[in-house]
């Protein structure tokens, strides 16, 4: 249990967990408090990059020491989260951009004049 | 060989991923993971017809280190803005011209810029080869673009032909 851990390890692991949680919380605050949609998309990124990363790092260190073998499947979690975040982010952001442009809202860059759809030619 | 293993890098990556996920490098896991990796890479060749070429693998390590440090720095910067009683960042859109054309390099750049809390990759325009980026705390637009070009794009251009 946690009382059997060496002191340096408890301090290290708790520091990582607390700092990671703090970053994630800052991101959540940002999600609630920031004014526009484009600002708010930056908040949760903190949870998925460094916030989550630090918590996973703490988990990897803790289980590596207590199980006395290398535990690194947290790396896979981090990899999957990092690789999939841009997909949802782009989906949300482009939907909002589209809507803002259709509604003619201010503060949004104009759609470029000529848009070529990069769709592959249909095979008949 | 090319028909059995159309994407050796992808297959190798999947095998390593499988072994890490299983927490074991036993023979059974290697064989099973290898079968899965080869099957997936054959299936992927329908979506990715051309082989993936990575020219300077050690530059990849450099890219990961540079991006990792920038992500940490950006996290702390955004956190200090958000814990301010009245967060009022000077956000802005940037339309950036890219020399990069390789789809994998573009995907990696998108992942890096999105994982950095200070910036978000919104929309890539293939026809004009520009990308729309939203920056959380924009001070100097020209400098920001120059930083991305120097730190990431130059490396990615060296890695991917």
């Amino acid at each position: 249990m946690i009382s059997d851990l060496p002191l340096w390890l408890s301090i290290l692991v708790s520091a990582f967990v607390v700092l990671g949680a703090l970053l994630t919380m800052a991101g959540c605050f940002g999600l609630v408090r920031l004014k526009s949609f484009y600002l708010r998309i930056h908040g949760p990124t903190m949870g998925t990059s460094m916030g989550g990363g630090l918590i996973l790092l703490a988990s990897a260190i803790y289980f590596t020491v207590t199980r006395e073998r290398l535990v690194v499947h947290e790396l896979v979690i981090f990899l999957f989260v990092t690789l999939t975040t841009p997909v949802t982010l782009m989906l949300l952001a482009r939907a909002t951009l589209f809507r803002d442009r259709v509604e003619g809202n201010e503060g949004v860059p104009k759609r470029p004049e000529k848009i070529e759809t990069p769709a592959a030619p249909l095979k008949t | 060989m090319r028909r059995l293993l159309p994407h050796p890098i992808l297959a190798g990556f999947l095998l390593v991923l499988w072994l890490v996920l299983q927490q074991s490098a036993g023979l059974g896991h290697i064989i099973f993971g290898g079968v899965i990796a080869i099957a997936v890479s054959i299936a992927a060749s329908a979506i990715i017809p051309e082989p993936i070429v990575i020219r300077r693998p050690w530059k990849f390590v450099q890219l990961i280190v540079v991006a990792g440090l920038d992500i940490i720095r950006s996290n702390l910067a955004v956190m200090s803005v958000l814990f301010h009683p009245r967060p009022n960042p000077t956000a802005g859109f940037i339309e950036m011209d890219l020399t990069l054309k390789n789809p994998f390099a573009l995907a990696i750049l998108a992942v890096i810029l999105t994982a950095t809390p200070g910036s978000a990759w919104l929309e890539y325009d293939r026809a004009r080869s520009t990308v729309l980026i939203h920056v959380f705390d924009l001070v100097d637009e020209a400098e920001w673009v120059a930083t991305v070009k120097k730190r990431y794009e130059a490396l990615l251009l060296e890695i991917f032909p």
Side-chain angles (χ1 to χ4, degrees):
Chain A
M1 280 328 291
I2 200 102
S3 54
D4 300 334
L5 282 182
L7 183 67
W8 64 270
L9 184 69
S10 331
I11 293 173
L12 191 70
V13 168
S14 354
F16 280 159
V17 168
V18 169
L19 190 59
L22 203 68
L23 278 160
T24 313
M25 191 177 72
C28 298
F29 275 152
L31 190 64
V32 176
R33 292 171 68 208
L34 290 170
K35 295 285 182 290
S36 81
F37 171 83
Y38 300 105
L39 281 175
R40 282 196 291 269
I41 50 175
H42 294 289
T45 314
M46 299 175 69
T48 58
S49 60
M50 199 179 161
L54 281 175
I55 294 172
L56 290 171
L57 184 66
S59 158
I61 294 173
Y62 177 82
F63 285 109
T64 299
V65 174
T66 50
R67 301 248 174 102
E68 291 177 341
R69 50 178 288 208
L70 194 62
V71 179
V72 282
H73 54 333
E74 281 84 355
L75 266 179
V76 183
I77 303 178
F78 186 71
L79 190 75
F80 284 155
V81 169
T82 313
L83 286 184
T84 48
T85 321
V87 180
T88 38
L89 187 127
M90 273 182 232
L91 200 68
L92 286 170
R94 294 190 66 172
T96 317
L97 270 175
F98 180 74
R99 185 176 165 176
D100 278 346
R101 282 165 178 167
V102 167
E103 291 179 353
N105 293 339
E106 277 179 31
V108 179
K110 290 279 170 294
R111 201 190 169 107
E113 300 289 304
K114 199 177 108 231
I115 288 257
E116 270 179 45
T117 354
L122 286 173
K123 282 180 193 145
T124 45
Chain B
M1 188 63 195
R2 259 200 61 72
R3 286 188 61 162
L4 182 67
L5 205 58
H7 292 301
I9 297 175
L10 178 66
F13 177 72
L14 284 171
L15 177 60
V16 171
L17 208 63
W18 179 263
L19 294 179
V20 172
L21 208 60
Q22 299 296 329
Q23 300 274 314
S24 150
L27 188 62
H29 287 302
I30 292 178
I31 292 172
F32 193 46
V35 169
I36 289 176
I38 290 171
V40 171
S41 67
I42 289 172
S45 63
I47 321 169
I48 318 167
E50 73 275 21
I52 309 168
V53 182
I54 292 178
R55 278 191 307 196
R56 297 193 173 86
W58 65 91
K59 288 275 178 188
F60 223 100
V61 180
Q62 191 189 342
L63 182 72
I64 291 172
V65 171
V66 168
L69 290 176
D70 281 355
I71 287 171
I72 293 173
R73 199 177 313 143
S74 170
N75 261 288
L76 299 176
V78 174
M79 184 171 76
S80 68
V81 171
L82 288 178
F83 275 137
H84 199 269
R86 267 176 221 288
N88 194 16
T90 49
F93 292 94
I94 288 185
E95 188 148 57
M96 187 180 157
D97 292 312
L98 289 176
T99 332
L100 220 55
K101 290 272 194 302
N102 186 303
F104 299 105
L106 285 169
I108 291 173
L109 189 61
V111 168
I112 293 174
L113 287 183
T114 309
T116 313
S119 59
W121 172 289
L122 300 184
E123 198 174 43
Y124 177 65
D125 186 343
R126 195 188 302 236
R128 299 187 307 145
S129 192
T130 59
V131 60
L132 187 67
I133 298 170
H134 188 263
V135 182
F136 187 73
D137 214 354
L138 187 60
V139 183
D140 184 351
E141 187 175 329
E143 194 199 327
W144 200 91
V145 170
T147 315
V148 171
K149 280 199 169 288
K150 198 177 85 202
R151 291 180 85 93
Y152 309 129
E153 201 188 11
L155 275 176
L156 283 167
L157 281 170
E158 281 188 65
I159 295 167
F160 292 97

